[in-house]
Amino acid sequence: MTADVALLGIRHHGPGSARAVAAALEQWRPDAVLIEGPPEADGLLHLAAGTGLVPPVALLAHAVDDPAKAAFWPYAEFSPEWVAIRHAVERELPVRFIDLPAGHGFGPADGEADGEPEEPAADPLALLAEAAGHDDPERWWEDVVEHRAPGADALAPFAAVAEAMAALRAEGLGESRRDALREAYMRQQVRAARRAGHGRIAVVCGAFHVPALAAAPSVAHDRALLAGLPRKVRTEVTWVPWTHRRLSQAAGYGAGVRSPGWYHHLFTTEGDPVPRWLTRAAELLRAEDHPVSSAHVIEAVRLAEALAVMRGRPLAGLTETLDAVRAVLCEGSDVALELVRDRLVVGDALGEVPDTAPAVPLQRDLTRLQRSLRLKPAAEPKDLDLDLRKDTDAARSRLLHRLRLLGVDWGVPARSAVNSTGTFRESWRLCWQPEFAVRIAEAAQWGTTVEEAATGKAVGTARAAAELAELTGLVETCLLAGLPGALPAVMRVLADCAALDTDVAHLAGALPALVRALRYGDVRGTDHGALGAVAAGLADRICVGLPPACVGLDAESAAAMRVRIDEVHGAIGLLGPGGPADPDAADGPGGPGPDGRSPDGLAGRWAATLRGLARREPSAGPATGVPGLLRGRAVRLLLDDGRLDSDEAGRRLRLVLSAASAPLDAAGWIEGFLTGGGALLLHDPRLLALLDAWVSGVPAGVFTDVLPLLRRTFAGLEAGVRTTIGGRVAAGPLGEAPAGADQPGELDRGRADAAVPVVALLLGVRPRIPRQAAGRTT
């Protein structure tokens, strides 16, 4: 301390330091307060005077021309810097930040340009704790500072801390070039405050810097040191909400606080904080259906105090308190203890920033939308179910999808607890993160409103896209986000890319996203005409190019192609016949169109493709034929669609399982045939008998090669199906239907035809009733 300057060395985010700073400022009564922090934020300090700025909050500084270059300075209610700011603004005292400007950290530098304030590489608290014989610096600092109330001389603790730090720096421990630059700049600011006529100055800074500020070298020395600073970048600064959970991570000042919720409780609680904190823990556990009574709380308080006495601590700290919670309130359960750690030790407190704080136009538009749609940002995860048939929910969906397009994942699609397969329902999990402020600043380059920015980002992404699947996924996103201004440009790029892409795998990967986009048209009121034309074109090209693309694939490539075939099959099932993208829809089921296309339109052409794929048996070896996995899958899809009867499927299975086929190829065929469900083996005992006979006859020399494929195939079947198949094989003989099973001849065709119109109405398709049944009255 000097006659006119009080150097208050603190620990960032320390509640004990915050109380000590409050007492020291009351005693010292300065006429100016200088605080370690970015000087660019001096114009924002007046916002702390009102009630609109509620900690935890953070100063966000970012380069104007490159918002990705950003740094945060977070403050909680228990941060000493925040206490000093509030003291100054409430008394209308001059208050300034005196750390190195953030703009110097964003420019090209000599290896140190991250823009965030740094602590020394060696933790001074750890060094002091080690010198005092303690292995835990957190516990040592709590005992020495956090748990002790200010005494008669509020400045005495700061003098003791300064002496300890001076001893460390005398040994050259923990110093860095960046610290030297920062301290030189801070000394200049102290000199400037003196020249401004302030007689009593309080400087609040990290304790490690106090000896350097007290040394006061010459002005020429500091000017020479600062001459090597990197070029200053134009910077914007604002306040943004912060969270206790984010404060617990390493951000700002180079270190996080492991227990912000606990520190907040220590700072805001008068008297003994342990009983009140254990009461809060009991309330939390009771809310989660844990049997905790007031007697548990009393016993836990006694245990925490006893542990503190046994361990020689002045007050029960977090360690003793959590030990008492585990032993008494949680009855030894670590699961319940983790709940207390998560909710109380860390916590989900989210700060607030007033509307008068500077913000980019995009942030202001987002704030307006959040209020109008009643979507308040919260740090605690929250599930949200949307019914897209409602205007408000549809608008919420569009906002969340637009933000995801901009890289702001405030909402993430989630699985709904409501079982629904309709496209009118969406489920989200919302969780606001402070770093979204940086991403919003980055996205401001695309526009001043959320819709405009999302549109610009979509067009820019489309022009830079390298793969067809990326473009189709972008089209789907544009429809979900309701961006009609982006669709024409994206569709032009998509059409050009689809026309030039000859890779069937790429086409197959792109089609499902387009079909999903077509399904959204009805609920969201979007025009899917252009999408339907592109989807139909992709489907036609897949039908032509798929069989040659399946030739000569290895096992891994065949497995990937099998997934693509399944996706395309599902997509074409949604498109036609009669679907919005089926060019033959006008033909109807009765006959071919004027161009001679198949009566079933797109679905018929896809079925012909699967038939051609199923017939392409390997001739001279795997390199010239279609893998059995894909041939078997084609047969199964045809069988499930009713375009192949069970007799033909059985004939193909017999051919594959004959002695002329290689065992590995046959095992792959079986895997493709049974993927997705093995119940058909139960309904058609002949297929099961064929399979059983083949497995029994596999030569011993190749059985070990075939076994992994068979195990993988049957492991994918439903547990009940596997059990029933095992029972059938064990009971034998196979090839006959089990007793009591209905035979095909027992089907009542009249009763079946009566149900067709109802089922067709539920599925939204046109029923196909046999001609002989069309005249019957049902």
Side-chain angles (χ1 to χ4, degrees):
M1 308 294 172
T2 63
D4 60 343
V5 178
L7 298 175
L8 308 181
I10 51 93
R11 183 195 185 193
H12 301 298
H13 313 308
S17 292
R19 283 194 299 268
V21 164
L25 292 175
E26 286 292 338
Q27 177 179 320
W28 180 250
R29 295 189 181 279
D31 54 14
V33 179
L34 307 182
I35 303 172
E36 179 184 335
E40 293 95 334
D42 286 348
L44 303 177
L45 291 175
H46 68 281
L47 295 175
T51 58
L53 192 63
V54 180
V57 291
L59 286 169
L60 165 62
H62 65 85
V64 174
D65 297 329
D66 187 3
K69 293 181 178 179
F72 293 100
W73 285 261
Y75 302 105
E77 190 172 354
F78 52 82
S79 299
E81 299 90 344
W82 179 258
V83 171
I85 293 171
R86 292 283 297 179
H87 177 93
V89 297
E90 288 175 355
R91 291 161 180 78
E92 298 183 353
L93 300 176
V95 55
R96 293 181 56 198
F97 284 124
I98 60 171
D99 202 352
L100 200 64
H104 286 301
F106 298 145
D110 300 330
E112 294 181 277
D114 60 3
E116 289 197 16
E118 296 178 350
E119 287 297 324
D123 184 2
L125 295 186
L127 296 174
L128 291 174
E130 183 180 356
H134 289 258
D135 58 354
D136 188 343
E138 290 285 336
R139 288 187 58 184
W140 175 79
W141 184 260
E142 282 187 354
D143 292 347
V144 173
V145 177
E146 307 298 351
H147 292 167
R148 297 187 184 274
D153 183 5
L155 298 177
F158 295 103
V161 171
E163 182 180 355
M165 293 298 170
L168 287 178
R169 299 196 66 149
E171 301 294 330
L173 298 175
E175 297 184 8
S176 67
R177 180 178 179 275
R178 182 169 178 79
D179 283 321
L181 291 172
R182 296 172 61 196
E183 290 158 358
Y185 191 87
M186 286 191 272
R187 287 192 294 265
Q188 283 195 339
Q189 300 309 303
V190 174
R191 296 187 189 107
R194 282 172 169 164
R195 291 194 301 269
H198 299 300
R200 297 173 67 84
I201 302 171
V203 179
V204 180
C205 63
F208 186 79
H209 304 301
V210 169
L213 299 186
S218 66
V219 175
H221 172 274
D222 287 343
R223 286 178 178 174
L225 192 61
L226 294 172
L229 280 174
R231 178 177 56 84
K232 189 176 180 180
V233 174
R234 192 160 60 98
T235 304
E236 290 182 351
V237 184
T238 187
W239 288 106
V240 295
W242 207 250
T243 66
H244 277 175
R245 190 169 303 280
R246 191 68 177 87
L247 195 65
S248 67
Q249 304 172 14
Y253 300 110
V257 180
R258 291 186 296 182
S259 49
W262 167 255
Y263 276 6
H264 179 83
H265 180 77
L266 288 181
F267 183 72
T268 57
T269 302
E270 296 291 337
D272 189 354
V274 174
R276 291 179 175 84
W277 196 84
L278 288 172
T279 301
R280 293 177 57 201
E283 292 174 351
L284 171 64
L285 292 172
R286 279 198 295 268
E288 298 294 332
D289 295 330
H290 290 272
V292 180
S293 66
S294 56
H296 286 85
V297 177
I298 296 172
E299 186 60 30
V301 172
R302 291 174 178 171
L303 178 58
E305 293 174 346
L307 289 173
V309 172
M310 293 175 61
R311 295 169 181 174
R313 306 194 67 181
L315 182 70
L318 181 60
T319 303
E320 289 73 29
T321 307
L322 288 180
D323 286 345
V325 169
R326 177 193 284 110
V328 181
L329 303 186
C330 301
E331 298 181 345
S333 170
D334 286 335
V335 175
L337 180 65
E338 283 303 314
L339 178 65
V340 175
R341 287 184 185 275
D342 184 69
R343 301 280 185 85
L344 296 185
V345 177
V346 178
D348 287 310
L350 176 66
E352 297 180 9
V353 174
D355 294 338
T356 53
V360 296
L362 179 61
Q363 176 64 66
R364 295 194 180 281
D365 184 60
L366 174 59
T367 302
R368 177 187 63 80
L369 291 172
Q370 288 170 335
R371 289 177 178 173
S372 64
L373 297 177
R374 299 187 297 280
L375 284 177
K376 184 177 180 180
E380 185 176 358
K382 173 187 176 182
D383 291 330
L384 178 68
D385 289 324
L386 300 178
D387 186 342
L388 302 180
R389 296 169 296 184
K390 301 178 180 179
D391 293 340
T392 300
D393 282 0
R396 289 173 174 175
S397 172
R398 288 192 295 269
L399 174 62
L400 295 174
H401 281 293
R402 289 170 182 176
L403 290 176
R404 281 177 59 81
L405 183 60
L406 294 173
V408 182
D409 293 333
W410 175 26
V412 177
R415 185 186 180 105
S416 174
V418 180
N419 292 324
S420 174
T421 58
T423 58
F424 62 86
R425 185 179 298 279
E426 278 186 351
S427 296
W428 297 82
R429 167 152 288 199
L430 305 183
C431 183
W432 185 264
Q433 301 294 337
E435 53 267 28
F436 290 160
V438 177
R439 298 180 188 174
I440 292 172
E442 291 182 81
Q445 63 179 306
W446 299 106
T448 58
T449 67
V450 175
E451 181 177 1
E452 181 183 335
T455 298
K457 179 67 179 296
V459 174
T461 302
R463 291 171 178 170
E467 295 186 0
L468 186 60
E470 183 180 357
L471 285 169
T472 55
L474 184 61
V475 169
E476 181 181 10
T477 302
C478 289
L479 287 174
L480 291 170
L483 300 175
L487 271 178
V490 176
M491 289 300 301
R492 283 195 298 270
V493 178
L494 172 62
D496 294 341
C497 186
L500 297 175
D501 200 329
T502 58
D503 191 324
V504 173
H506 290 172
L507 301 177
L511 182 63
L514 281 181
V515 174
R516 288 193 301 268
L518 284 168
R519 295 185 69 198
Y520 302 137
D522 296 333
V523 174
R524 298 174 183 270
T526 54
D527 181 13
H528 51 57
L531 286 179
V534 175
L538 287 180
D540 279 336
R541 293 175 63 190
I542 292 171
C543 290
V544 173
L546 181 63
C550 294
V551 174
L553 299 180
D554 58 18
E556 183 178 355
S557 300
M561 185 61 77
R562 197 271 302 167
V563 174
R564 296 294 193 195
I565 290 175
D566 283 350
E567 293 175 346
V568 171
H569 184 76
I572 290 180
L574 294 173
L575 289 179
D582 186 5
D584 296 331
D587 298 344
D595 59 352
R597 291 180 181 263
S598 64
D600 291 318
L602 180 58
R605 294 194 293 280
W606 173 245
T609 300
L610 292 178
R611 290 192 187 95
L613 189 65
R615 287 195 299 266
R616 297 190 66 152
E617 306 289 343
S619 53
T624 59
V626 175
L629 176 68
L630 303 183
R631 302 195 321 271
R633 192 62 192 153
V635 171
R636 175 60 184 273
L637 294 177
L638 290 169
L639 178 65
D640 288 346
D641 277 0
R643 296 180 180 272
L644 196 72
D645 57 31
S646 58
D647 290 338
E648 178 62 18
R651 186 186 71 82
R652 292 178 180 273
L653 179 60
R654 285 193 298 272
L655 290 175
V656 169
L657 300 183
S658 66
S661 298
L664 283 175
D665 184 73
W669 197 99
I670 294 170
E671 180 182 3
F673 186 68
L674 296 182
T675 297
L680 62 90
L681 294 178
L682 304 178
H683 297 307
D684 194 338
R686 295 171 299 173
L687 299 180
L688 180 58
L690 290 172
L691 183 59
D692 178 62
W694 177 78
V695 172
S696 302
V698 173
V702 296
F703 186 76
T704 55
D705 296 329
V706 173
L707 183 59
L709 291 175
L710 293 177
R711 292 195 61 176
R712 183 173 64 192
T713 300
F714 284 94
L717 302 182
E718 304 88 336
V721 171
R722 292 199 306 268
T723 301
T724 306
I725 288 176
R728 293 272 182 91
V729 173
L734 297 175
E736 299 177 0
D742 292 337
Q743 300 300 321
E746 300 177 9
L747 176 65
D748 188 331
R749 180 66 63 179
R751 296 177 62 188
D753 291 343
V756 169
V758 178
V759 175
L761 179 63
L762 293 174
L763 296 177
V765 299
R766 290 178 294 180
R768 293 187 176 184
I769 302 177
R771 293 180 179 179
Q772 61 271 22
R776 291 201 299 261
T777 301
T778 58

